[in-house]
């Protein structure tokens, strides 16, 4: 058997790292300026953390998308299929309920889901996540959406639009579920297999179906946004009013729903139409009641997540220029055997302030300079018998071709003057 990456996973090679660092770095800057603090949680948890946070009717549970195993102690453990469960478990466990509200937390890292592999969708993928906990009103929902919008804009994306909806309160959802069951039970056999299950467990999720036959049955039905109580309607209008005031582009989507069971009221997605039919880059919503369900106090919360792979696809389509990783400041070339150890010692000394690489064996000047050019260094330093006698290096500018002799002791000052620090 030829060893290769497992289906649905991939290697992020060195020449792609700059793209990943770009996204995480830009998001981190937006979060820091907004007082959102970074938190890391384990990539595996007790399975109950995720079954509780996702809910019994979620695809993670119903379609068995979670990577679950029994550990040596006989405990059921699951690789992280989403961030919210683990972050809220940490919120409860570490007493963040006593922190000033709202508690604003963001995370990034690998997520694991056993689902169908397609463009931009993997079984191990990288996600950015944000949770804002402790406040009930529309302002905090609008701030969550604005953080997501600003983060994606900071990455360099244009032409983004927020699709905003509401799934209402539990009573609204129950009323809408009853309505959908009554309308669609007579047509049950025409539904897709996934939607037949949803009709029993959580009919609201039918609105999320991409199956053309399902959409044909739904087209004449009343969407969730039209089944809201007055309180939920006021909340929705409040969120939209803030976003309009902040000049964030919003489209009302009366049929938007979210995949997990505990969403209430606000539901939203950010779309980027240039990446094709599956244009949603990110999404989230309010999940009042979830923290209490996980064993904590009855606190409200709102959160969102996006997949870094999807954002990188969109950046490529938008032709956003991401700076490539720069090469070393100096590349050292040993011209004889004795110089091999000498340049290694010098490189170690210079690395206190500069990026320095070197050849690990004797090179002739032509071959050594080609190595230096491939490294991306603007300067090459050659060391042989003549340079050893004068305690110097022959330093060549690989752009202009100019070269000069520089004493070892003067190298740091020379590199600083050349703008390499």
């Amino acid at each position: 058997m030829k060893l290769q990456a497992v289906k649905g996973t991939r290697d992020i090679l060195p020449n792609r790292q700059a793209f990943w660092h770009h996204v995480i770095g830009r998001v981190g800057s937006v979060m820091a300026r907004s007082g959102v603090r970074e938190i890391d949680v384990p990539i595996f948890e007790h399975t109950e953390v995720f079954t509780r946070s996702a809910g019994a009717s979620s695809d993670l549970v119903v379609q068995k998308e979670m990577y679950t195993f029994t550990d040596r102690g006989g405990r059921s453990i699951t690789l992280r299929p989403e961030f919210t469960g683990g972050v809220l478990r940490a919120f409860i466990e570490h007493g963040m309920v006593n922190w000033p509200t709202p508690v604003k937390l963001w995370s990034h890292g690998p997520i694991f889901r056993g689902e169908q592999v397609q463009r931009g969708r993997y079984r191990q993928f990288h996600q950015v996540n944000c949770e804002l906990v402790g406040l009930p009103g529309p302002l905090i929902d609008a701030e969550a959406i604005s953080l997501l919008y600003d983060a994606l804009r900071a990455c360099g994306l244009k032409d983004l639009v927020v699709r905003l909806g509401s799934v209402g309160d539990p009573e609204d959802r129950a009323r809408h579920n009853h309505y959908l069951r009554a309308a669609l039970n007579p047509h049950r056999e025409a539904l897709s297999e996934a939607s037949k299950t949803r009709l029993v467990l959580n009919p609201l999720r039918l609105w999320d179906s991409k199956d053309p036959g399902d959409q044909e049955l739904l087209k004449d039905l009343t969407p969730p946004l039209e089944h809201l109580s007055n309180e939920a309607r006021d909340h929705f209008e409040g969120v939209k009013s803030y976003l309009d005031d902040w000049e964030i582009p919003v489209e009302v989507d009366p049929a938007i729903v979210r995949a997990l069971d505990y969403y209430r009221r606000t539901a939203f997605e950010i779309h980027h139409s240039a990446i094709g039919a599956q244009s949603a880059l990110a999404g989230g919503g309010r999940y009042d009641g979830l923290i209490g369900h996980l064993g904590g106090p009855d606190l409200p919360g709102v959160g969102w997540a996006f997949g870094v792979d999807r954002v990188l696809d969109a950046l490529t389509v938008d032709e956003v220029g991401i700076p490539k990783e720069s090469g070393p400041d100096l590349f050292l070339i040993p011209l004889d055997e004795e110089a091999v150890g000498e340049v290694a010692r010098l490189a170690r000394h210079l690395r206190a302030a500069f990026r320095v690489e070197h050849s690990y064996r004797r090179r002739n000047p032509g071959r050594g300079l080609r190595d230096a050019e491939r490294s991306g260094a603007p300067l090459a330093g050659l060391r042989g018998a003549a340079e050893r006698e004068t305690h110097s290096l022959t330093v060549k500018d690989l752009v202009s071709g100019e070269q000069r002799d520089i004493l070892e002791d003067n190298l740091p000052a020379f590199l600083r003057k050349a703008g390499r620090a």
Side-chain angles (χ1 to χ4, degrees):
M1 175 183 175
K2 180 182 178 181
L3 294 179
Q4 58 187 21
V6 176
K7 181 180 179 181
T9 69
R10 63 173 181 160
D11 304 305
I12 310 302
L13 300 178
N15 62 350
R16 293 289 296 172
Q17 291 295 329
F19 294 85
W20 291 75
H21 294 164
H22 169 83
V23 171
I24 301 304
R26 295 297 180 90
V27 172
S29 295
V30 171
M31 297 297 134
R33 291 195 299 268
S34 305
V36 186
R37 303 170 70 180
E38 187 171 0
I39 181 173
D40 288 328
V41 294
I43 64 169
F44 58 88
E45 302 265 0
H46 293 291
T47 300
E48 191 177 7
V49 168
F50 301 120
T51 54
R52 284 196 190 187
S53 62
S57 71
S58 69
D59 291 346
L60 294 178
V61 176
V62 174
Q63 298 186 23
K64 299 180 179 179
E65 293 178 353
M66 297 193 295
Y67 284 98
T68 297
F69 60 95
T70 301
D71 72 1
R72 294 178 181 179
R75 295 169 288 258
S76 181
I77 301 296
T78 294
L79 296 179
R80 181 172 63 203
E82 49 92 16
F83 266 105
T84 300
V87 172
L88 295 184
R89 187 269 310 150
F91 175 88
I92 297 165
E93 182 176 344
H94 298 288
M96 296 184 204
V97 61
N98 298 313
W99 292 13
T101 55
V103 177
K104 301 190 286 188
L105 304 167
W106 81 283
S107 309
H108 66 91
I111 296 292
F112 306 86
R113 294 182 187 174
E115 57 185 357
Q116 186 63 39
V117 178
Q118 54 186 280
R119 177 185 172 184
R121 179 172 291 178
Y122 301 90
R123 290 171 180 168
Q124 177 184 322
F125 57 98
H126 204 96
Q127 198 174 74
V128 172
N129 183 84
C130 182
E131 313 290 351
L132 280 64
V133 179
L135 293 182
L139 176 57
I140 199 68
D141 294 17
E143 179 172 19
I145 295 169
S146 71
L147 282 170
L148 175 56
Y149 179 81
D150 291 344
L152 294 174
R153 290 275 296 175
C155 290
L157 294 176
K158 304 179 180 68
D159 301 322
L160 299 172
V161 62
V162 176
R163 292 190 185 174
L164 182 67
S166 175
V167 296
D169 291 317
E171 298 79 11
D172 303 326
R173 293 180 63 145
R175 186 165 55 251
H176 190 67
N177 282 340
H178 177 77
Y179 161 76
L180 289 176
R181 287 191 181 103
L184 294 174
N185 266 325
H187 310 283
R188 184 179 183 279
E189 292 307 312
L191 291 169
S192 65
E193 290 303 313
S195 289
K196 288 176 184 177
T197 301
R198 289 171 177 171
L199 186 62
V200 175
L201 296 177
N202 185 1
L204 186 73
R205 288 289 317 286
L206 289 165
W207 293 103
D208 204 28
S209 173
K210 305 300 186 292
D211 183 89
D214 293 346
Q215 288 300 318
E216 181 67 23
L217 291 171
L218 288 165
K219 70 177 184 179
D220 295 324
L221 300 185
T222 306
L225 194 62
E226 298 183 29
H227 286 250
L228 299 184
S229 65
N230 291 336
E231 293 83 358
R233 169 67 63 177
D234 290 345
H235 187 100
F236 170 80
E237 295 295 344
V239 176
K240 186 176 183 302
S241 177
Y242 281 118
L243 297 177
D244 288 342
D245 185 51
W246 300 341
E247 298 182 339
I248 293 176
V250 175
E251 292 179 0
V252 173
D253 186 339
I256 194 169
V257 295
R258 301 298 300 151
L260 307 183
D261 286 356
Y262 293 98
Y263 279 106
R264 298 187 185 181
R265 297 195 177 183
T266 306
F268 58 89
E269 294 175 347
I270 290 189
H271 286 250
H272 183 275
S273 60
I275 61 173
Q278 300 294 321
S279 62
L281 287 181
R286 173 168 284 277
Y287 48 73
D288 300 0
L290 177 54
I291 296 172
H293 188 74
L294 289 170
D298 188 17
L299 289 175
V302 59
W304 51 257
F306 70 78
V308 175
D309 301 275
R310 297 280 291 163
V311 169
L312 290 177
D313 267 357
L315 288 172
T316 301
V317 170
D318 274 4
E319 298 182 341
V320 175
I322 296 174
K324 295 181 179 179
E325 184 179 7
S326 61
D329 302 316
L330 175 67
F331 190 94
L332 300 175
I333 303 165
L335 301 179
D336 57 30
E337 291 298 335
E338 191 174 347
V340 173
E342 292 172 346
V343 300
R345 172 189 53 79
L346 182 58
R348 184 175 183 278
H349 170 71
L350 291 171
R351 283 169 181 165
F354 307 97
R355 294 180 59 188
V356 181
E357 296 181 18
H358 61 88
S359 292
Y360 287 83
R361 59 184 181 274
R362 177 177 61 82
R363 292 300 218 190
N364 64 50
R367 187 70 174 270
L369 289 171
R370 285 195 295 273
D371 290 345
E373 289 173 350
R374 279 195 292 266
S375 78
L379 300 170
L382 296 91
R383 174 69 170 231
E387 290 84 7
R388 185 176 302 110
E389 282 190 12
T390 58
H391 303 285
S392 66
L393 276 85
T394 299
V395 177
K396 182 170 184 175
D397 187 315
L398 296 174
V399 177
S400 68
E402 179 186 358
Q403 67 181 44
R404 67 185 74 180
D405 292 334
I406 307 292
L407 293 174
E408 284 186 33
D409 291 344
N410 293 341
L411 268 173
F414 172 79
L415 291 171
R416 280 191 288 269
K417 187 176 181 179
R420 308 314 299 174

